[in-house]
Amino acid sequence: MFIFMFIFIFIFIFHVKAESAIAALNLSGSVLGSLPIRVSPSKTPVRPRAPRPATH
């Protein structure tokens, strides 16, 4: 009997500085807990959001 368990967790992080994005990409393959993580750049361009007016 074979049991396969796949865990897929997606987290999207926007980096303001290029240096922090490169540092995050360099972490790909690191082990977190007992599983390796995969870090990859966005496949679509990320557009900055327009600031929302204050509602206070």
Side-chain angles (χ1 to χ4, degrees):
M1 175 180 207
F2 293 100
I3 299 174
F4 293 99
M5 184 173 75
F6 297 98
I7 299 173
F8 294 103
I9 298 174
F10 295 92
I11 299 173
F12 297 93
I13 300 174
F14 177 77
H15 294 273
V16 176
K17 296 184 179 181
E19 295 84 12
S20 63
I22 292 168
L25 289 169
N26 288 332
L27 290 175
S28 191
S30 299
V31 176
L32 182 63
S34 62
L35 299 172
I37 62 170
R38 185 174 78 181
V39 181
S40 56
S42 175
K43 294 182 175 118
T44 57
V46 177
R47 295 182 295 148
R49 296 166 84 180
R52 293 183 175 186
T55 58
H56 295 66

